[in-house]
Amino acid sequence: MTGIKGKYAVLTGASRGIGRLVARELVREGVNVAIAARDFAALSELAGELGSKGPDVFPLQVDVATRDGREKLVGEAMRRFGRIDILINNAALGVWAKFHEQDEAQIEAMVDTNLKAPMLLTRKVLDHMVKQGSGQIVNIGSLSGKKGNPYLGVYSGTKAGIMEWSSALRGELKDLGIGVSVICPTYVSGKGVFAKFGIDAPPAVGTVPAERVAKAVVDAIARNPEEVILSPLPVRPLLAINALFPALGSRILSSLGVVKMADRLTEMEKDLANK
């Protein structure tokens, strides 16, 4: 892939899941990367794995939901690299639950991590990108942000916010040499609750491999698309129907088995929490 070798990136949520795979793809393409997460043991293991590949990889234990964590991440990355060419806002929390049963702390944690943290971290990084006159921001959205997923309401709301903010930010930054892309996958196979409980999404909805999401992130750095939707099915017509006829969109979502699956996952999460 041309154009990104030798660049300097900051990646949040790098210790597991999609983030871990994105880190590997970045290093494979010759990108130097600061990998950030709360789990330092997992970060150190990943840095050890990737450290012999050539590019500079260094782990930073931070919580991007906090001001101190964001300041540490940007400050350390600038001290190490001298510049930040790429920011990938990947860190996120998702909980399957009935909204009226969720406590405020859980809701606040998701909003802080999924929505406020990317916005505020991006604001800090833009101080440097604007001075450089270049940069690429890749945000991880979700198809749940295109159509709210029952029992995943807070997550869906935060991802909807990420996607609309990404679109607005792209319009603001396009003349400053800074690109903004958002990646919107459907359910990701083998990760999150699907790995935890060993179940699959309804066949009519399907899943995408985490590796495909990781490759789409790195591809977006090079190509700067506004939005990338990842699904095994042609979902754009369904999204168009939902935009015009939301009630029909909700009926279609239910008919595909999504609501039944979400209810099942919610009960499984509750049972696990009560053990």
Side-chain angles (χ1 to χ4, degrees), residues 66-211:
T66 68
R67 182 193 297 262
D68 288 346
R70 293 187 295 270
E71 290 181 350
K72 176 183 176 181
L73 176 54
V74 176
E76 290 295 324
M78 286 301 296
R79 275 188 284 274
R80 181 84 166 222
F81 295 150
R83 61 185 292 125
I84 298 173
D85 300 302
I86 301 158
L87 171 64
I88 303 167
N89 287 307
N90 170 68
L93 301 175
V95 178
W96 296 83
K98 296 176 181 178
F99 182 75
H100 69 277
E101 294 179 352
Q102 289 185 276
D103 59 45
E104 288 187 11
Q106 189 179 71
I107 294 169
E108 287 176 349
M110 281 191 280
V111 173
D112 287 348
T113 302
N114 299 7
L115 186 58
K116 288 175 63 177
M119 288 183 171
L120 295 173
L121 180 60
T122 298
R123 175 62 188 84
K124 291 192 72 64
V125 170
L126 280 173
D127 283 339
H128 304 287
M129 287 186 173
V130 170
K131 290 177 183 177
Q132 293 166 188
S134 63
Q136 185 69 36
I137 299 161
V138 180
N139 297 317
I140 308 302
S142 170
L143 281 181
S144 295
K146 291 283 192 181
K147 177 65 177 177
N149 201 317
Y151 305 102
L152 202 59
V154 179
Y155 179 87
S156 297
T158 60
K159 289 302 183 180
I162 283 292
M163 290 187 286
E164 291 303 313
W165 165 65
S166 297
S167 178
L169 192 61
R170 182 181 174 92
E172 292 181 29
L173 299 176
K174 65 179 181 178
D175 294 329
L176 298 177
I178 301 167
V180 181
S181 300
V182 63
I183 311 298
C184 306
T186 186
Y187 304 116
V188 179
S189 58
K191 301 297 177 185
V193 291
F194 298 108
K196 184 192 297 185
F197 298 121
I199 67 172
D200 295 319
V205 176
T207 60
V208 293
E211 292 79 5

Side-chain angles (χ1 to χ4, degrees), residues 19-50:
R20 199 174 182 90
L21 296 174
V22 171
R24 289 175 179 149
E25 287 293 323
L26 289 170
V27 170
R28 186 174 292 119
E29 296 296 335
V31 177
N32 307 287
V33 58
I35 51 175
R38 293 177 296 176
D39 186 343
F40 190 69
L43 285 177
S44 296
E45 178 189 357
L46 180 61
E49 171 197 328
L50 300 177

